[in-house]
Each structure stands twice: as C-alpha cells, then as structure tokens.
Amino acid sequence: MNSETNLFKQKLIKLLPLLLISIVCVTALFVVNELTKDKIKLNKQIAALAIINEVLSLEYDNDLFTDKIKLDVPDKINNTGSISVYRARLNNQPVAVSLMPVITKGYNGNISLIVGIRYDGTLTGIRVLQHNETEGFGDQVHQDKTDWLQIFKNTSIYALPEKKWAIKKDDGEFDQLSGATITSRSIINIVYKTLEYYLENKDKFYENQ
C-alpha cells in the first residue's frame, strides 16, 4: 500500500509543473481578455461610426451606439429578418437613421449595404459593406472603385415614381454600372424597397424598445 501511495505521489509531483503552467496560462488569457475587451469594443465602434458617418452626411448630437435598436424586417430587406438601426437625433428630435446590413442578391452572391435615410425619407447615402462581385465589372459598385452609389444621394420615392427606379436601359432614371446590369438592377431595386419599407413603418424606426 505504501509503495502504491509513493508511486501516486511521484506521478503527482511530475504532473504538478504542467498543472501550474496550465493555471498560469489560463489566468494570463483571462487577464489579457479583461484588459483588452473594452479596447476591442471601442475600436469596433470607431470603425462602425466611420462608416455610418459616411452615409449620414448631416448634423446630429446624440450617441448613436446608445440609440441603436435591432429591428425585425421582411426578407426582402435582409434575408436574416433583422437589421441594426442607428438613430441620429438633434436636440432630441429625430433626423435620420442608418440601416445595416441591407442585403440584396448580386450577380455572384449577396451584397451587403449600409443605407442612410433622413427622417423625411430622403436618402443621405449608401455604402457597400461586403460583396462577391466580379473584379472589373460588378465590383465597381464598391465606393472605393467608382462613385456610382452617389447617384442615389438625396433621392426619394416621392420625387421619383416606382417605374423610374430602374436603369435607363429599362426606361428608368439611373445609369448602370458598365458591364454589370444585374448588379445595377439589384441595387436600385433594394434601395427602392428599403425606402418604401421605411416610409411605411417610420414610427417603428424611432420608437423606444
């Protein structure tokens, strides 16, 4: 019995350094995570705010990240059924929202957008968040490639009837991306649907949740 006890003690002594190293590593990871998680969150917010401000080219004085809601939407706006809505206010009065991600189907897959809309339903701007479009063609939709998305700025469904929300090739008002007819049609269509849904449900975008 003594020999078995001694053998167990010897094995335990051999395992002790490994156990201590494991404890130290776990503790170190926990400490590093606690020290960096706030900074990581802040960096994400700074990056998101930069994108939001690109589409919300107007004055506001509230904290967008404390005035953010998740909103259930139809699949035609986002196939997951949910979007994030950042509400911009000035002197406690609503002035605009930014919606992300609004998702549409491009030629090679989904295109994710952030859409900025003034309180009255006028577009303040659009930016591409992610896409899988073909290089040299559909990828021209991205703001780093061309300024095509600028054609939507300050437009609304009040100013332009639905049948005119199309490329000129289809008797609409909008130029298309060169060599990217499907992508162009898709973006125009989702922009119209997003504006339409916003105006039909404006109160939902600003109510407290």
Side-chain angles (χ1 to χ4, degrees):
M1 190 71 176
N2 288 336
S3 62
E4 291 180 357
T5 301
N6 290 335
L7 184 60
F8 175 76
K9 288 181 177 179
Q10 290 174 5
K11 288 182 178 180
L12 187 61
I13 291 171
K14 289 180 180 179
L15 289 173
L16 189 58
L18 182 59
L19 180 61
L20 290 173
I21 291 172
S22 298
I23 293 172
V24 169
C25 289
V26 170
T27 302
L29 287 172
F30 175 79
V31 171
V32 169
N33 180 66
E34 288 298 306
L35 291 174
T36 60
K37 67 179 182 180
D38 287 342
K39 185 175 182 180
I40 292 172
K41 180 180 178 181
L42 178 61
N43 287 340
K44 287 181 178 180
Q45 287 186 346
I46 291 172
L49 185 61
I51 296 172
I52 293 169
N53 282 333
E54 286 183 6
V55 300
L56 292 185
S57 52
L58 42 71
E59 185 180 0
Y60 64 89
D61 60 9
N62 64 315
D63 181 355
L64 296 178
F65 291 99
T66 59
D67 205 344
K68 169 192 170 185
I69 60 170
K70 281 282 190 179
L71 194 63
D72 293 333
V73 294
D75 290 348
K76 65 181 180 180
I77 305 299
N78 183 311
N79 55 15
T80 68
S82 177
I83 56 171
S84 294
V85 180
Y86 296 85
R87 287 95 65 90
R89 304 177 194 268
L90 184 63
N91 298 323
N92 292 321
Q93 297 301 311
V95 293
V97 291
S98 63
L99 285 55
M100 72 163 84
V102 171
I103 298 177
T104 190
K105 185 75 172 177
Y107 183 77
N108 281 331
N110 287 338
I111 301 174
S112 298
L113 306 168
I114 175 173
V115 178
I117 308 174
R118 285 191 184 89
Y119 183 75
D120 65 2
T122 305
L123 279 166
T124 61
I126 304 170
R127 293 290 184 273
V128 172
L129 298 173
Q130 187 175 4
H131 72 85
N132 298 292
E133 299 304 275
T134 305
E135 185 175 354
F137 294 96
D139 73 328
Q140 301 299 303
V141 70
H142 197 281
Q143 56 274 4
D144 289 345
K145 299 284 187 176
T146 68
D147 61 357
W148 183 74
L149 290 174
Q150 292 295 320
I151 64 175
F152 298 103
K153 191 172 182 179
N154 296 321
T155 58
S156 74
I157 62 177
Y158 293 136
L160 203 59
E162 182 176 3
K163 65 181 181 179
K164 289 298 182 180
W165 282 81
I167 58 176
K168 290 179 178 178
K169 181 179 180 180
D170 298 332
D171 297 323
E173 287 291 321
F174 296 98
D175 293 325
Q176 73 172 68
L177 286 164
S178 179
T181 303
I182 292 175
T183 302
S184 302
R185 285 173 175 154
S186 181
I187 295 293
I188 294 168
N189 184 51
I190 192 62
V191 170
Y192 180 86
K193 287 180 178 177
T194 301
L195 285 175
E196 182 181 48
Y197 183 76
Y198 168 81
L199 290 169
E200 290 174 352
N201 301 272
K202 186 190 289 188
D203 290 344
K204 290 173 59 176
F205 285 85
Y206 293 98
E207 67 186 10
N208 293 324
Q209 294 193 9

